[in-house]
Amino acid sequence: MDVTVSSTTVNGRTVVDVTGEVDVYTAPALRERLTALVESGRTDLVVDLTAVRFMDSTGLGLLVGVLKRIRGLDGQLQLVIDAERLLKVFRITSLDQVFTIRETREEALGAPGTAED
C-alpha cells in the first residue's frame, strides 16, 4: 500500500494529484505535501482523488484539517472524486456537505466563485 502525491499549477490554482491508497500508513505523505503547499501560500487547492483506490478515516481527517486551515486563510479547497466507492465514504460521514466535490478536474478549475489568478 502506498500513495503518490504530485502538484502542478493551472491558471494560478494548485492541483494536487493523489494516486493509490490513503490510510493510516500513507496519510502522512499526503499531509506533509498539503501542509507544505498551504505554508507556501497556496490556498486555492484542487485535490484530485480520481486515482485513489481506498481512503480510511485517517485520510478523511487529514482533509478536514487542511480544509479548516485553508478556510481560516480565506482560501478554497475542492475535491475531485468520480468513483462511487469513494463518494459513498463522504456521504456516509456527511462530509459531502462540508467539502466542495466535483466530478472532473475541469469542473473544479472552471467552477463559478473560484478565484482566478
Side-chain angles (χ1 to χ4, degrees), residues 12-99:
R13 289 197 183 108
T14 302
V15 178
V16 180
D17 290 297
V18 185
T19 303
E21 298 184 2
V22 182
D23 59 24
V24 69
Y25 301 106
T26 62
L30 178 57
R31 179 181 294 113
E32 185 177 301
R33 184 62 164 266
L34 292 174
T35 299
L37 288 168
V38 173
E39 287 176 354
S40 71
R42 308 303 282 171
T43 58
D44 189 356
L45 300 180
V46 174
V47 179
D48 189 335
L49 301 174
T50 57
V52 170
R53 296 182 307 270
F54 173 81
M55 181 178 292
D56 71 5
S57 61
T58 306
L60 294 174
L62 89 81
L63 288 174
V64 169
V66 170
L67 178 64
K68 285 181 181 180
R69 187 164 185 193
I70 287 177
R71 283 186 176 166
L73 297 169
D74 291 324
Q76 180 173 327
L77 172 67
Q78 296 182 78
L79 304 178
V80 180
I81 303 172
D82 65 353
E84 184 59 36
R85 70 188 181 303
L86 194 54
L87 280 169
K88 187 175 181 178
V89 173
F90 281 83
R91 285 190 197 110
I92 289 170
T93 58
S94 296
L95 289 175
D96 62 326
Q97 304 299 311
V98 175
F99 286 97

Coordinates of all heavy atoms in Angstrom, one line a residue, residues 12-99:
G12 N -3.1 29.6 -12.0 CA -3.0 30.2 -10.7 C -3.5 29.3 -9.5 O -3.3 29.6 -8.4
R13 N -4.1 28.2 -9.9 CA -4.6 27.2 -8.8 C -3.6 26.1 -8.7 O -3.0 25.7 -9.7 CB -5.9 26.7 -9.2 CG -7.0 27.7 -9.1 CD -8.3 26.9 -9.1 NE -9.4 27.8 -9.0 CZ -10.2 28.1 -10.0 NH1 -10.1 27.4 -11.2 NH2 -11.2 29.0 -9.9
T14 N -3.5 25.5 -7.5 CA -2.7 24.4 -7.3 C -3.5 23.1 -7.4 O -4.5 23.0 -6.7 CB -2.0 24.4 -6.0 OG1 -1.2 25.7 -5.9 CG2 -1.0 23.3 -5.8
V15 N -3.2 22.3 -8.3 CA -3.9 21.0 -8.5 C -3.0 19.9 -7.9 O -1.8 19.8 -8.3 CB -4.2 20.7 -10.0 CG1 -4.9 19.3 -10.1 CG2 -5.0 21.8 -10.6
V16 N -3.5 19.2 -7.0 CA -2.8 18.1 -6.3 C -3.3 16.8 -6.7 O -4.5 16.5 -6.5 CB -2.9 18.2 -4.8 CG1 -2.1 17.1 -4.1 CG2 -2.4 19.6 -4.3
D17 N -2.5 16.0 -7.4 CA -2.9 14.6 -7.8 C -2.5 13.6 -6.8 O -1.3 13.5 -6.4 CB -2.3 14.3 -9.2 CG -2.8 15.1 -10.3 OD1 -4.0 15.0 -10.6 OD2 -2.0 15.9 -10.9
V18 N -3.5 12.8 -6.4 CA -3.2 11.8 -5.4 C -3.5 10.4 -6.0 O -4.6 10.2 -6.6 CB -4.1 12.0 -4.1 CG1 -3.7 10.9 -3.1 CG2 -3.9 13.4 -3.6
T19 N -2.6 9.5 -5.9 CA -2.8 8.2 -6.5 C -2.5 7.1 -5.5 O -1.5 7.2 -4.7 CB -1.8 8.0 -7.7 OG1 -2.0 9.0 -8.6 CG2 -2.0 6.6 -8.4
G20 N -3.3 6.1 -5.4 CA -3.0 4.9 -4.6 C -4.0 4.8 -3.4 O -5.2 5.0 -3.7
E21 N -3.6 4.5 -2.2 CA -4.4 4.4 -1.1 C -4.0 5.3 0.0 O -2.8 5.5 0.3 CB -4.3 2.9 -0.6 CG -4.8 1.9 -1.6 CD -4.8 0.5 -1.1 OE1 -4.5 0.2 0.1 OE2 -5.1 -0.4 -1.9
V22 N -5.0 6.0 0.6 CA -4.8 6.9 1.7 C -5.3 6.3 3.0 O -6.5 6.2 3.1 CB -5.4 8.3 1.4 CG1 -5.1 9.3 2.5 CG2 -5.0 8.9 0.0
D23 N -4.4 5.9 3.8 CA -4.7 5.3 5.0 C -3.8 5.7 6.1 O -3.0 6.6 6.0 CB -4.8 3.7 4.9 CG -3.4 3.1 4.4 OD1 -2.4 3.8 4.7 OD2 -3.4 2.0 3.9
V24 N -3.9 5.0 7.3 CA -3.0 5.4 8.4 C -1.5 5.4 8.1 O -0.8 6.1 8.7 CB -3.4 4.5 9.7 CG1 -2.9 3.1 9.5 CG2 -2.8 5.1 10.9
Y25 N -1.1 4.5 7.2 CA 0.3 4.4 6.9 C 0.7 5.4 5.8 O 1.9 5.9 5.9 CB 0.6 3.0 6.4 CG 0.2 1.9 7.4 CD1 -0.9 1.1 7.2 CD2 1.0 1.7 8.5 CE1 -1.3 0.2 8.1 CE2 0.6 0.8 9.5 CZ -0.5 0.0 9.3 OH -0.8 -0.9 10.2
T26 N -0.1 5.8 4.9 CA 0.3 6.7 3.8 C -0.2 8.1 4.0 O 0.4 9.0 3.3 CB -0.3 6.1 2.5 OG1 -1.7 6.1 2.5 CG2 0.2 4.7 2.2
A27 N -1.1 8.3 4.9 CA -1.6 9.7 5.1 C -0.6 10.7 5.4 O -0.7 11.9 5.0 CB -2.7 9.7 6.1
P28 N 0.5 10.4 6.2 CA 1.5 11.4 6.5 C 2.1 12.0 5.3 O 2.4 13.2 5.3 CB 2.5 10.7 7.4 CG 1.7 9.6 8.0 CD 0.7 9.2 7.0
A29 N 2.3 11.3 4.2 CA 2.9 11.8 3.0 C 2.0 12.8 2.3 O 2.5 13.9 1.9 CB 3.2 10.7 2.0
L30 N 0.7 12.6 2.3 CA -0.3 13.5 1.8 C -0.3 14.7 2.7 O -0.4 15.9 2.2 CB -1.6 12.8 1.6 CG -2.7 13.7 1.1 CD1 -2.4 14.3 -0.3 CD2 -4.0 12.9 1.0
R31 N -0.4 14.5 4.0 CA -0.5 15.6 4.9 C 0.7 16.6 4.8 O 0.6 17.8 4.7 CB -0.6 15.1 6.4 CG -0.6 16.3 7.4 CD -0.7 15.8 8.8 NE -1.9 15.1 9.1 CZ -2.0 13.8 9.3 NH1 -0.9 13.0 9.4 NH2 -3.1 13.2 9.6
E32 N 1.9 16.0 4.6 CA 3.1 16.7 4.5 C 3.1 17.6 3.3 O 3.4 18.8 3.3 CB 4.3 15.8 4.5 CG 5.7 16.4 4.4 CD 6.8 15.4 4.5 OE1 6.8 14.6 5.4 OE2 7.6 15.4 3.5
R33 N 2.7 17.0 2.1 CA 2.6 17.8 0.9 C 1.6 18.9 0.9 O 1.9 20.0 0.5 CB 2.3 16.8 -0.3 CG 2.3 17.5 -1.6 CD 3.7 18.0 -1.9 NE 3.9 18.3 -3.3 CZ 4.4 17.5 -4.2 NH1 4.9 16.3 -3.9 NH2 4.6 17.9 -5.5
L34 N 0.4 18.6 1.4 CA -0.7 19.6 1.5 C -0.3 20.8 2.5 O -0.5 21.9 2.2 CB -2.0 19.0 1.9 CG -2.6 18.1 0.9 CD1 -3.9 17.4 1.4 CD2 -2.9 18.8 -0.4
T35 N 0.3 20.4 3.6 CA 0.8 21.4 4.6 C 1.8 22.3 4.0 O 1.8 23.5 4.1 CB 1.3 20.7 5.8 OG1 0.2 19.9 6.4 CG2 1.8 21.7 6.9
A36 N 2.8 21.7 3.3 CA 3.8 22.5 2.6 C 3.3 23.5 1.6 O 3.7 24.6 1.5 CB 4.9 21.6 2.0
L37 N 2.3 23.0 0.9 CA 1.7 23.9 -0.1 C 1.0 25.1 0.5 O 1.1 26.2 0.1 CB 0.7 23.1 -1.0 CG 1.3 22.2 -2.0 CD1 0.2 21.2 -2.6 CD2 2.0 22.9 -3.1
V38 N 0.2 24.8 1.6 CA -0.5 25.9 2.3 C 0.5 26.8 3.0 O 0.3 28.1 2.9 CB -1.5 25.3 3.3 CG1 -2.1 26.4 4.2 CG2 -2.6 24.5 2.6
E39 N 1.5 26.3 3.6 CA 2.5 27.1 4.2 C 3.3 28.0 3.2 O 3.7 29.1 3.6 CB 3.5 26.3 5.0 CG 2.9 25.7 6.3 CD 3.9 24.8 7.0 OE1 5.0 24.5 6.5 OE2 3.5 24.4 8.1
S40 N 3.3 27.6 2.0 CA 4.0 28.4 0.9 C 3.0 29.4 0.3 O 3.4 30.0 -0.7 CB 4.6 27.5 -0.1 OG 3.6 26.9 -0.9
G41 N 1.8 29.5 0.8 CA 0.8 30.5 0.3 C -0.2 29.9 -0.7 O -0.9 30.7 -1.3
R42 N -0.1 28.7 -1.0 CA -1.1 28.1 -2.0 C -2.4 27.7 -1.2 O -2.5 26.7 -0.6 CB -0.5 26.8 -2.6 CG 0.9 27.1 -3.2 CD 0.9 28.2 -4.2 NE 0.4 27.7 -5.5 CZ 0.1 28.5 -6.5 NH1 0.3 29.7 -6.5 NH2 -0.3 28.0 -7.6
T43 N -3.4 28.6 -1.3 CA -4.6 28.4 -0.6 C -5.8 28.2 -1.5 O -6.9 28.3 -1.0 CB -4.9 29.6 0.4 OG1 -4.9 30.8 -0.3 CG2 -3.8 29.6 1.5
D44 N -5.6 28.0 -2.7 CA -6.6 27.7 -3.7 C -6.3 26.3 -4.3 O -5.6 26.2 -5.3 CB -6.8 28.7 -4.8 CG -8.0 28.5 -5.7 OD1 -8.7 27.5 -5.5 OD2 -8.3 29.4 -6.5
L45 N -6.7 25.3 -3.6 CA -6.3 23.9 -4.0 C -7.4 23.1 -4.6 O -8.6 23.2 -4.2 CB -5.8 23.1 -2.7 CG -4.6 23.7 -2.0 CD1 -4.3 22.8 -0.8 CD2 -3.4 23.8 -2.9
V46 N -7.1 22.3 -5.6 CA -8.0 21.3 -6.2 C -7.2 20.0 -5.9 O -6.2 19.8 -6.5 CB -8.2 21.6 -7.7 CG1 -9.0 20.4 -8.3 CG2 -8.9 22.9 -7.9
V47 N -7.8 19.1 -5.1 CA -7.2 17.9 -4.8 C -7.9 16.8 -5.6 O -9.1 16.5 -5.4 CB -7.3 17.5 -3.3 CG1 -6.6 16.2 -3.0 CG2 -6.5 18.6 -2.5
D48 N -7.2 16.2 -6.6 CA -7.8 15.3 -7.5 C -7.6 13.9 -6.9 O -6.5 13.3 -6.8 CB -7.1 15.4 -8.9 CG -7.8 14.5 -9.9 OD1 -8.5 13.5 -9.6 OD2 -7.6 14.9 -11.1
L49 N -8.7 13.3 -6.5 CA -8.7 11.9 -5.9 C -9.2 10.9 -6.8 O -9.5 9.8 -6.4 CB -9.6 12.0 -4.6 CG -9.2 13.0 -3.5 CD1 -10.2 13.0 -2.4 CD2 -7.8 12.6 -3.0
T50 N -9.3 11.1 -8.1 CA -9.8 10.2 -9.1 C -9.0 8.9 -9.2 O -9.5 7.9 -9.6 CB -10.0 10.8 -10.5 OG1 -8.8 11.3 -10.9 CG2 -11.1 11.9 -10.4
A51 N -7.7 9.0 -8.8 CA -6.9 7.8 -8.8 C -6.7 7.1 -7.5 O -5.8 6.3 -7.3 CB -5.5 8.1 -9.5
V52 N -7.5 7.6 -6.5 CA -7.4 7.0 -5.2 C -8.3 5.7 -5.1 O -9.5 5.8 -5.4 CB -7.8 8.0 -4.1 CG1 -7.9 7.3 -2.7 CG2 -6.7 9.1 -4.0
R53 N -7.7 4.6 -4.8 CA -8.4 3.3 -4.7 C -9.1 3.1 -3.4 O -10.1 2.4 -3.3 CB -7.5 2.2 -5.0 CG -6.9 2.2 -6.4 CD -6.0 1.0 -6.6 NE -5.0 0.8 -5.6 CZ -3.7 1.3 -5.7 NH1 -3.4 2.1 -6.7 NH2 -2.9 1.1 -4.7
F54 N -8.6 3.7 -2.3 CA -9.1 3.5 -1.0 C -8.7 4.7 -0.1 O -7.6 5.2 -0.2 CB -8.5 2.2 -0.4 CG -8.8 2.0 1.1 CD1 -10.0 1.4 1.4 CD2 -7.9 2.3 2.1 CE1 -10.3 1.2 2.8 CE2 -8.2 2.1 3.4 CZ -9.4 1.6 3.8
M55 N -9.6 5.1 0.8 CA -9.3 6.1 1.8 C -10.0 5.7 3.1 O -11.2 5.4 3.1 CB -9.8 7.5 1.3 CG -9.5 8.6 2.3 SD -10.0 10.2 1.8 CE -8.9 10.5 0.4
D56 N -9.2 5.7 4.2 CA -9.8 5.4 5.5 C -10.1 6.7 6.3 O -9.9 7.8 5.8 CB -9.0 4.4 6.3 CG -7.7 5.0 6.8 OD1 -7.4 6.2 6.6 OD2 -6.9 4.2 7.3
S57 N -10.5 6.6 7.6 CA -10.8 7.7 8.4 C -9.6 8.7 8.6 O -9.7 9.9 8.8 CB -11.4 7.3 9.7 OG -10.4 6.5 10.4
T58 N -8.4 8.1 8.6 CA -7.2 9.0 8.7 C -7.1 9.9 7.5 O -6.8 11.1 7.7 CB -5.9 8.1 8.8 OG1 -6.1 7.1 9.8 CG2 -4.7 8.9 9.0
G59 N -7.4 9.5 6.3 CA -7.3 10.3 5.2 C -8.4 11.4 5.2 O -8.2 12.5 4.9
L60 N -9.6 11.0 5.7 CA -10.7 11.9 5.8 C -10.4 13.0 6.8 O -10.6 14.2 6.6 CB -12.0 11.2 6.2 CG -12.6 10.2 5.2 CD1 -13.8 9.5 5.9 CD2 -13.0 10.9 3.9
G61 N -9.8 12.6 7.9 CA -9.4 13.5 9.0 C -8.4 14.5 8.5 O -8.5 15.7 8.8
L62 N -7.4 14.1 7.8 CA -6.4 15.0 7.3 C -7.0 16.0 6.3 O -6.6 17.2 6.3 CB -5.2 14.3 6.7 CG -5.1 13.9 5.3 CD1 -4.6 15.0 4.4 CD2 -4.1 12.8 5.1
L63 N -7.9 15.6 5.5 CA -8.5 16.5 4.5 C -9.4 17.6 5.3 O -9.4 18.7 4.9 CB -9.4 15.8 3.5 CG -8.6 15.0 2.5 CD1 -9.6 14.1 1.6 CD2 -7.8 15.9 1.6
V64 N -10.0 17.1 6.3 CA -10.8 18.1 7.1 C -9.9 19.1 7.8 O -10.2 20.3 7.8 CB -11.7 17.3 8.2 CG1 -12.2 18.3 9.2 CG2 -12.8 16.5 7.6
G65 N -8.7 18.6 8.3 CA -7.8 19.5 8.9 C -7.2 20.6 7.9 O -7.1 21.7 8.2
V66 N -6.9 20.1 6.7 CA -6.4 21.0 5.7 C -7.5 22.0 5.3 O -7.3 23.2 5.1 CB -5.9 20.2 4.5 CG1 -5.6 21.2 3.3 CG2 -4.7 19.4 4.9
L67 N -8.8 21.5 5.2 CA -9.9 22.4 4.8 C -10.0 23.5 5.8 O -10.2 24.7 5.5 CB -11.2 21.6 4.7 CG -12.4 22.4 4.4 CD1 -12.3 23.1 3.0 CD2 -13.7 21.5 4.5
K68 N -10.0 23.2 7.1 CA -10.1 24.2 8.2 C -9.0 25.2 8.1 O -9.3 26.4 8.2 CB -10.1 23.5 9.6 CG -11.3 22.8 9.9 CD -11.2 22.2 11.3 CE -12.4 21.4 11.7 NZ -12.3 20.8 13.1
R69 N -7.8 24.7 7.9 CA -6.7 25.7 7.8 C -6.8 26.6 6.6 O -6.6 27.8 6.7 CB -5.4 24.9 7.7 CG -4.2 25.7 7.7 CD -3.0 24.9 8.0 NE -1.9 25.8 8.2 CZ -0.6 25.4 8.2 NH1 -0.3 24.1 8.1 NH2 0.3 26.3 8.4
I70 N -7.2 26.1 5.4 CA -7.4 26.9 4.2 C -8.5 27.9 4.4 O -8.4 29.0 4.0 CB -7.6 26.0 3.0 CG1 -6.3 25.3 2.6 CG2 -8.2 26.8 1.8 CD1 -6.4 24.3 1.5
R71 N -9.6 27.4 5.0 CA -10.8 28.4 5.2 C -10.3 29.5 6.1 O -10.8 30.6 6.0 CB -12.0 27.6 5.7 CG -12.7 26.9 4.6 CD -14.0 26.2 5.1 NE -14.7 25.6 4.1 CZ -15.7 24.8 4.2 NH1 -16.1 24.5 5.5 NH2 -16.3 24.2 3.2
G72 N -9.5 29.2 7.1 CA -9.0 30.2 8.0 C -8.1 31.2 7.3 O -8.0 32.3 7.9
L73 N -7.6 30.9 6.2 CA -6.8 31.8 5.4 C -7.6 32.4 4.2 O -7.0 32.9 3.3 CB -5.6 31.0 4.9 CG -4.6 30.5 5.9 CD1 -3.6 29.6 5.3 CD2 -3.9 31.7 6.6
D74 N -8.9 32.2 4.3 CA -9.8 32.7 3.2 C -9.5 32.0 1.9 O -9.7 32.6 0.8 CB -9.8 34.2 3.1 CG -10.4 34.9 4.3 OD1 -11.4 34.4 4.8 OD2 -9.9 36.0 4.6
G75 N -9.1 30.8 1.9 CA -8.8 30.0 0.7 C -9.9 29.1 0.4 O -11.0 29.1 1.0
Q76 N -9.6 28.2 -0.6 CA -10.6 27.3 -1.1 C -10.0 25.9 -1.3 O -8.9 25.9 -1.9 CB -11.3 27.8 -2.3 CG -12.3 26.9 -2.9 CD -13.1 27.5 -4.0 OE1 -13.3 28.7 -4.0 NE2 -13.5 26.7 -5.0
L77 N -10.7 24.9 -1.0 CA -10.3 23.5 -1.3 C -11.4 22.8 -1.9 O -12.5 22.7 -1.4 CB -9.9 22.8 0.0 CG -9.6 21.3 -0.1 CD1 -8.3 21.0 -0.9 CD2 -9.5 20.7 1.3
Q78 N -11.2 22.3 -3.1 CA -12.1 21.5 -3.8 C -11.6 20.1 -4.0 O -10.4 19.9 -4.2 CB -12.4 22.1 -5.2 CG -13.1 23.4 -5.2 CD -13.4 23.9 -6.6 OE1 -14.4 23.5 -7.2 NE2 -12.5 24.7 -7.1
L79 N -12.4 19.1 -4.0 CA -12.0 17.7 -4.2 C -12.6 17.3 -5.5 O -13.7 17.6 -5.9 CB -12.5 16.8 -3.1 CG -12.1 17.1 -1.7 CD1 -12.8 16.2 -0.7 CD2 -10.6 17.2 -1.5
V80 N -11.8 16.5 -6.3 CA -12.3 15.8 -7.5 C -12.5 14.4 -7.2 O -11.5 13.7 -6.9 CB -11.4 16.1 -8.7 CG1 -12.0 15.4 -10.0 CG2 -11.2 17.6 -8.9
I81 N -13.7 13.9 -7.3 CA -14.0 12.5 -7.0 C -15.0 12.0 -8.0 O -16.1 12.6 -8.2 CB -14.6 12.3 -5.6 CG1 -13.7 12.8 -4.5 CG2 -14.9 10.8 -5.3 CD1 -14.3 12.8 -3.1
D82 N -14.6 10.9 -8.7 CA -15.5 10.4 -9.8 C -16.0 9.0 -9.5 O -16.8 8.4 -10.2 CB -14.9 10.5 -11.1 CG -13.7 9.6 -11.3 OD1 -13.2 9.0 -10.3 OD2 -13.2 9.5 -12.4
A83 N -15.5 8.4 -8.4 CA -15.8 7.0 -8.1 C -16.9 6.9 -7.0 O -16.7 7.5 -5.9 CB -14.6 6.2 -7.7
E84 N -17.9 6.1 -7.3 CA -19.0 5.9 -6.3 C -18.5 5.4 -5.0 O -18.9 5.8 -3.9 CB -20.1 5.1 -6.9 CG -21.3 4.9 -6.0 CD -22.0 6.2 -5.6 OE1 -22.0 7.1 -6.5 OE2 -22.5 6.4 -4.5
R85 N -17.5 4.5 -5.0 CA -17.0 3.9 -3.8 C -16.4 4.9 -2.8 O -16.5 4.8 -1.6 CB -16.0 2.8 -4.1 CG -14.7 3.2 -4.6 CD -13.8 2.1 -5.1 NE -12.5 2.5 -5.6 CZ -12.3 3.4 -6.6 NH1 -13.3 3.9 -7.3 NH2 -11.1 3.7 -7.0
L86 N -15.7 5.9 -3.4 CA -15.1 7.0 -2.6 C -16.2 8.0 -2.2 O -16.2 8.5 -1.1 CB -13.9 7.6 -3.3 CG -13.0 8.5 -2.5 CD1 -12.5 7.7 -1.2 CD2 -11.9 9.0 -3.3
L87 N -17.1 8.3 -3.1 CA -18.1 9.3 -2.8 C -19.0 8.8 -1.7 O -19.4 9.5 -0.8 CB -19.0 9.5 -4.0 CG -18.5 10.5 -5.1 CD1 -19.3 10.4 -6.3 CD2 -18.5 11.9 -4.5
K88 N -19.2 7.5 -1.6 CA -20.0 6.8 -0.6 C -19.4 7.1 0.8 O -20.2 7.4 1.7 CB -20.1 5.3 -0.8 CG -21.1 4.6 0.1 CD -21.2 3.1 -0.3 CE -22.2 2.4 0.5 NZ -22.3 1.0 0.1
V89 N -18.1 7.1 0.9 CA -17.5 7.3 2.2 C -17.8 8.8 2.6 O -18.1 9.0 3.8 CB -15.9 7.1 2.1 CG1 -15.2 7.5 3.4 CG2 -15.7 5.6 1.8
F90 N -17.7 9.7 1.7 CA -18.0 11.1 2.0 C -19.5 11.3 2.4 O -19.8 12.1 3.3 CB -17.6 12.0 0.9 CG -16.1 12.3 0.8 CD1 -15.3 11.4 0.3 CD2 -15.6 13.4 1.4 CE1 -13.9 11.6 0.2 CE2 -14.2 13.6 1.4 CZ -13.4 12.7 0.8
R91 N -20.4 10.6 1.7 CA -21.8 10.7 2.0 C -22.1 10.1 3.4 O -22.9 10.7 4.2 CB -22.6 10.0 1.0 CG -22.7 10.7 -0.3 CD -23.8 10.1 -1.3 NE -23.6 10.6 -2.6 CZ -23.1 9.8 -3.6 NH1 -22.8 8.5 -3.4 NH2 -22.9 10.4 -4.8
I92 N -21.6 8.9 3.7 CA -21.9 8.2 5.0 C -21.4 9.1 6.1 O -22.1 9.1 7.2 CB -21.2 6.8 5.0 CG1 -21.9 5.9 4.1 CG2 -21.1 6.3 6.4 CD1 -21.1 4.6 3.8
T93 N -20.3 9.8 6.0 CA -19.8 10.6 7.1 C -20.3 12.0 7.0 O -20.0 12.9 7.8 CB -18.3 10.7 7.0 OG1 -17.9 11.2 5.7 CG2 -17.7 9.3 7.2
S94 N -21.2 12.3 6.0 CA -21.8 13.7 5.8 C -20.7 14.7 5.4 O -21.0 15.9 5.4 CB -22.6 14.2 7.0 OG -23.7 13.3 7.2
L95 N -19.5 14.3 5.0 CA -18.5 15.2 4.6 C -18.8 15.7 3.2 O -18.2 16.7 2.8 CB -17.1 14.5 4.7 CG -16.6 14.3 6.1 CD1 -15.3 13.6 6.0 CD2 -16.5 15.6 6.8
D96 N -19.7 15.1 2.5 CA -20.1 15.7 1.2 C -20.9 17.0 1.4 O -21.0 17.8 0.5 CB -21.0 14.7 0.4 CG -22.3 14.4 1.1 OD1 -22.3 14.3 2.4 OD2 -23.3 14.1 0.4
Q97 N -21.3 17.3 2.6 CA -21.9 18.6 3.0 C -20.9 19.6 3.4 O -21.2 20.8 3.5 CB -22.9 18.4 4.1 CG -24.0 17.3 3.8 CD -24.8 17.7 2.6 OE1 -25.3 18.8 2.5 NE2 -25.0 16.8 1.7
V98 N -19.7 19.2 3.7 CA -18.6 20.0 4.1 C -17.7 20.4 3.0 O -17.3 21.6 2.9 CB -17.8 19.3 5.3 CG1 -16.6 20.1 5.7 CG2 -18.7 19.0 6.4
F99 N -17.4 19.5 2.2 CA -16.4 19.7 1.1 C -17.2 20.1 -0.2 O -18.3 19.7 -0.4 CB -15.6 18.5 0.8 CG -14.6 18.2 1.8 CD1 -14.8 17.3 2.8 CD2 -13.3 18.8 1.7 CE1 -13.8 17.0 3.8 CE2 -12.3 18.5 2.7 CZ -12.6 17.6 3.7

